[in-house]
Amino acid sequence: MAKKQFKAESKRLLDLMINSIYTHKEIFLREIVSNASDAIDKMAYLALTDDKIGLNRSDFAIQISVDEPHRTITVSDNGIGMSKQEMEENLGTIAKSGSLQFKQEMEKQDDVDIIGQFGVGFYSAFMIAEAVTVISKKYGSEEAWMWQSAGADGYTMTPCEKETVGTDVIMCLKKDTDDEKYAEYLQTYRLQQLITKYSNYIRYPIKMEMDKQVPKEGGDPEKHEMETVTENKTLNSMVPIWQRAKSELQDADYNSFYAGTFYDPEEPISHIHISVEGGITYKALLYIPAKMPMDYNTLDYKRGLQLYSSGVMIMDCCPDLIPEYFQFVRGVVDSQDLSLNISREMLQHDRQLQLIAANLEKKIKAELERLMKNDRARYEKFYSAFGQPLKYGLLSDFGAHKDVLQDLVMFYSAKQDKMVSLREYVDAMAQDQKHIYFVSGPSRSRLAKLPQTEQVLGKGCDVLYFTDEMDEFVVQSLHGYAEKQFKSVMAADLELPGEAEEKPDESAYKPTLDFIKETLGERVKDVRMSQNLGEHPVSIVPDTGMSFEMERYLKRIGNPYGESSAGRIMELNANHPAFAALQLASAQDPEKAKKYVEVLYSQGLLMANLPLEDPTAYTDLVCSLIG
């Protein structure tokens, strides 16, 4: 019995198969089981036209056996089997795939779905096995053959006895080391875990004998006597929920799958069941969670969807299937059309993947829009949890995702007293209103009391409250909405509807304004009169288009723009008694007038939620005026 060499670049290539292509040793079981499933597929296809086979689809199965004393794992199937020549070709030539050839021959048949395409999956067994034996009997042949190999040194082929058609793959595990404990794969519970994780949706039953505790026959029920029995248990569920028709499923079915798969006890906000056929064929089941995971904003959060190819898990988290701003979505995608790399652990970044990702994005957006329109309470619950990722999406890539996200973000409406979308704000605008008005600050209650807010609301216009520090950045990235520009209520020229705003004539107040500028010095860039203060005497507004809230945020994160935006403008209300008192004092008692200026300036700072430069001095100043 002469040892034969592998036809490929034996040692170097096999070492590559074992040590480089696969990143997780546990993958071996997925690959061997997938090969067994392929062999059964071929037999089941042949049975459609060959009455001699005598097997129905329910007769096919994959059996896993463990021999702990001899450290072997055996995977057996009753598929089509291999002849000597096929064993030479498929096992003796690395990267030769009988499954790929069969798929190419049958590619016009819609119901043929072969998992293995590369011919290297079998060699993953050598990651955990020091020797592998394959015994196979081809359908229609009277002889069986045994293929044996201990790795790159080569293999042997010998005739043997096998009663049934099919293939047995026997893996003799390597000895344990300090770094690797191969014996874990001899534990039936561990093999069951791997089948559930990677091969749960293989279409044929995967069975293994397992021990379980049952009430002892003839025992005393009150003593709860138990005994151990062995049963040949089916480990996989075979038909995934996403392959079933929507008409067969209830919300309870969807929620049960979600809870069991993603370990979230809270029911999701919504689910999206997708079945697409055409240029690319795939099925997907997506979930919008009810709350943000605790680790969502950490490096530990696993972003992406579970990816299956014909029911076999390829990736636990595939981030390329979903954009970053929708990474809170959980779910699975299953397609036989994806181009996988030879290890089946990663995807080639090809057009099929991009098509699926683009389609999923549209489906998610459509579902969120449906919730906003038809189930507002659920959408607001979703938005309270995941509004920030949507806003970050608008900020990323220089606003490239505006068309996807701009109708999903919401802000609080002062006039409507609720959260509204930009579309809802614009639809409620007066016909002659030119701008979308907003104001930024730490809380709605403080923003409502600003004189500028009162002025805009008094003219019948709505004001959006920006209480999230990124809100202003969001509207800047949008550059407007529905041909309406965003305008802060702090702007000098509000262009409110119903009247032509004229700039007040400040010539009569020039001496007082010059006095204020001289008193405050570099603390203000300008002092001017304003008609937007209502019943309030004073206001401090920013000189640039950047609000004080944005300045504070930029300063906190170390952005130089936060330091450079020091320009403050003091606005005064000519109709307020406090300004009249200041005007009179500046002419008759300049020292007292300076105190009035300091008080008004400090009041403006407080109203703008800006820190007082010296709170103690301000308190003493007020007390001195009272005294």
Side-chain angles (χ1 to χ4, degrees):
M1 182 177 61
K3 181 176 289 187
K4 300 183 180 182
Q5 296 298 315
F6 290 110
K7 294 179 182 179
E9 299 169 334
S10 59
K11 185 175 180 60
R12 177 71 187 93
L13 190 53
L14 186 55
D15 284 344
L16 179 66
M17 297 298 108
I18 297 170
N19 299 316
S20 299
I21 291 180
Y22 296 96
T23 55
H24 303 291
K25 288 182 171 58
E26 65 183 28
I27 284 298
F28 82 94
L29 190 59
R30 179 193 75 181
E31 297 298 313
I32 301 302
V33 166
S34 295
N35 289 344
S37 176
D38 290 346
I40 296 176
D41 275 332
K42 297 171 188 177
M43 191 68 161
Y45 182 79
L46 189 60
L48 296 176
T49 56
D50 190 343
D51 296 335
K52 295 179 182 179
I53 291 179
L55 293 175
N56 297 317
R57 195 170 189 85
S58 59
D59 298 322
F60 294 111
I62 300 168
Q63 183 73 41
I64 300 176
S65 306
V66 177
D67 186 339
E68 192 169 355
H70 293 94
R71 294 178 66 86
T72 63
I73 303 171
T74 301
V75 177
S76 303
D77 67 71
N78 56 349
I80 199 166
M82 291 180 285
S83 65
K84 178 183 179 183
Q85 181 181 350
E86 289 172 332
M87 294 178 78
E88 292 267 13
E89 292 178 351
N90 296 333
L91 306 182
T93 304
I94 299 174
K96 167 73 174 180
S97 174
S99 296
L100 177 58
Q101 181 181 352
F102 179 74
K103 182 177 182 180
Q104 291 170 341
E105 292 172 354
M106 299 293 107
E107 60 184 0
K108 296 182 180 180
Q109 301 292 332
D110 294 335
D111 58 348
V112 175
D113 181 12
I114 300 298
I115 301 167
Q117 297 182 28
F118 303 104
V120 299
F122 167 76
Y123 298 96
S124 65
F126 287 102
M127 291 191 297
I128 55 94
E130 62 183 13
V132 178
T133 299
V134 180
I135 299 174
S136 189
K137 184 177 182 179
K138 173 83 172 184
Y139 171 71
S141 174
E142 295 297 326
E143 58 182 9
W145 287 87
M146 180 169 60
W147 180 98
Q148 291 180 298
S149 175
D153 288 342
Y155 63 94
T156 61
M157 290 283 298
T158 55
C160 65
E161 295 294 328
K162 189 177 191 306
E163 293 183 3
T164 58
V165 170
T167 301
D168 302 332
V169 179
I170 306 163
M171 295 161 279
C172 184
L173 300 193
K174 297 177 182 178
K175 292 181 173 56
D176 292 352
T177 66
D178 292 338
D179 297 329
E180 297 287 352
K181 304 298 182 185
Y182 297 100
E184 69 170 299
Y185 300 117
L186 295 171
Q187 306 300 316
T188 54
Y189 78 90
R190 178 67 171 126
L191 297 179
Q192 183 180 25
Q193 286 179 341
L194 297 182
I195 292 298
T196 301
K197 180 177 181 180
Y198 293 109
S199 306
N200 196 35
Y201 304 117
I202 290 288
R203 71 192 72 185
Y204 307 106
I206 304 170
K207 300 183 176 183
M208 182 170 60
E209 290 190 347
M210 298 191 69
D211 294 338
K212 71 173 185 178
Q213 294 288 309
V214 298
K216 186 176 181 180
E217 187 175 352
D220 187 346
E222 295 184 0
K223 294 182 178 180
H224 301 289
E225 294 179 317
M226 307 293 287
E227 64 179 346
T228 301
V229 298
T230 301
E231 67 170 355
N232 199 24
K233 181 180 179 181
T234 298
L235 307 179
N236 58 323
S237 62
M238 289 178 278
V239 180
I241 185 174
W242 60 84
Q243 293 285 3
R244 296 168 60 186
K246 296 179 185 179
S247 58
E248 299 177 2
L249 300 167
Q250 304 293 328
D251 285 344
D253 299 314
Y254 288 112
N255 294 340
S256 177
F257 176 79
Y258 173 77
T261 304
F262 302 106
Y263 308 107
D264 186 352
E266 189 167 351
E267 289 186 3
I269 292 288
S270 181
H271 65 264
I272 312 169
H273 195 163
I274 305 167
S275 180
V276 175
E277 296 182 0
I280 185 167
T281 299
Y282 75 93
K283 296 182 186 295
L285 180 55
L286 309 181
Y287 291 91
I288 299 173
K291 61 183 179 182
M292 182 177 287
M294 294 182 63
D295 62 344
Y296 185 80
N297 293 313
T298 71
L299 295 176
D300 294 331
Y301 181 72
K302 294 182 178 180
R303 304 176 186 276
L305 305 177
Q306 291 184 356
L307 178 66
Y308 287 79
S309 177
S310 305
V312 179
M313 180 188 278
I314 304 304
M315 295 180 68
D316 189 35
C317 293
C318 180
D320 296 328
L321 280 171
I322 197 164
E324 187 172 357
Y325 41 85
F326 287 157
Q327 291 282 4
F328 52 81
V329 174
R330 315 298 295 272
V332 298
V333 175
D334 191 347
S335 174
Q336 65 192 59
D337 291 345
L338 292 173
S339 299
L340 310 178
N341 73 356
I342 58 177
S343 71
R344 292 210 293 254
E345 290 184 87
M346 291 170 27
L347 289 169
Q348 306 285 6
H349 294 269
D350 59 6
R351 185 170 178 271
Q352 286 88 352
L353 179 65
Q354 295 170 5
L355 287 172
I356 292 179
N359 189 259
L360 292 179
E361 181 184 58
K362 293 177 182 177
K363 296 288 187 181
I364 295 168
K365 178 188 176 184
E367 176 62 15
L368 292 175
E369 289 178 330
R370 185 194 68 80
L371 286 173
M372 179 185 285
K373 180 180 179 180
N374 300 327
D375 198 340
R376 192 53 171 253
R378 291 180 75 82
Y379 186 82
E380 291 189 5
K381 181 179 179 180
F382 152 77
Y383 192 77
S384 66
F386 298 105
Q388 283 208 338
L390 301 185
K391 293 177 183 178
Y392 280 123
L394 283 168
L395 295 177
S396 64
D397 299 327
F398 305 100
H401 314 297
K402 179 175 72 173
D403 292 342
V404 178
L405 300 174
Q406 64 180 353
D407 288 319
L408 299 179
V409 294
M410 302 175 72
F411 306 95
Y412 197 86
S413 160
K415 191 175 181 180
Q416 301 180 53
D417 194 27
K418 64 179 183 179
M419 296 290 287
V420 299
S421 68
L422 294 175
R423 169 53 57 192
E424 290 166 337
Y425 179 98
V426 170
D427 287 346
M429 285 172 54
Q431 189 172 3
D432 56 347
Q433 183 177 330
K434 299 179 180 179
H435 302 288
I436 300 172
Y437 295 103
F438 70 89
V439 62
S440 300
S443 68
R444 299 201 305 263
S445 60
R446 296 192 65 162
L447 295 176
K449 296 175 182 177
L450 289 176
Q452 293 87 350
T453 302
E454 295 176 355
Q455 173 78 358
V456 175
L457 290 173
K459 295 295 184 179
C461 298
D462 199 357
V463 177
L464 297 178
Y465 290 156
F466 288 179
T467 54
D468 191 328
E469 59 189 12
M470 74 172 69
D471 287 344
E472 278 191 80
F473 295 96
V474 168
V475 297
Q476 283 187 359
S477 71
L478 290 175
H479 306 296
Y481 179 85
E483 299 182 353
K484 303 290 184 180
Q485 298 300 308
F486 294 94
K487 185 178 281 287
S488 171
V489 300
M490 297 294 184
D493 184 10
L494 291 174
E495 298 183 277
L496 292 167
E499 62 181 33
E501 294 188 22
E502 298 181 0
K503 188 174 182 180
D505 182 10
E506 296 185 352
S507 59
Y509 310 112
K510 189 175 186 305
T512 305
L513 297 179
D514 289 342
F515 177 82
I516 297 172
K517 292 178 185 178
E518 183 180 350
T519 301
L520 294 177
E522 296 182 353
R523 286 181 285 175
V524 294
K525 189 170 183 178
D526 195 11
V527 180
R528 66 191 181 201
M529 308 307 294
S530 174
Q531 296 177 328
N532 300 328
L533 300 183
E535 298 179 355
H536 301 277
V538 65
S539 177
I540 301 294
V541 298
D543 175 43
T544 65
M546 187 183 301
S547 71
F548 292 133
E549 286 298 310
M550 187 180 290
E551 286 184 21
R552 274 191 288 270
Y553 171 71
L554 291 175
K555 186 175 182 178
R556 187 168 70 252
I557 65 175
N559 190 301
Y561 286 103
E563 298 289 346
S564 62
S565 302
R568 297 174 179 176
I569 295 177
M570 186 176 184
E571 293 186 338
L572 295 160
N573 185 353
N575 299 320
H576 198 280
F579 180 74
L582 171 59
Q583 195 174 26
L584 180 63
S586 64
Q588 298 180 355
D589 189 349
E591 291 303 315
K592 177 176 282 190
K594 289 181 180 178
K595 293 183 179 180
Y596 287 167
V597 169
E598 295 291 346
V599 169
L600 286 172
Y601 175 69
S602 297
Q603 288 178 331
L605 292 177
L606 290 172
M607 292 174 67
N609 196 35
L610 294 170
L612 294 178
E613 297 165 3
D614 189 342
T616 302
Y618 170 71
T619 303
D620 292 342
L621 179 61
V622 172
C623 290
S624 68
L625 291 173
I626 294 174

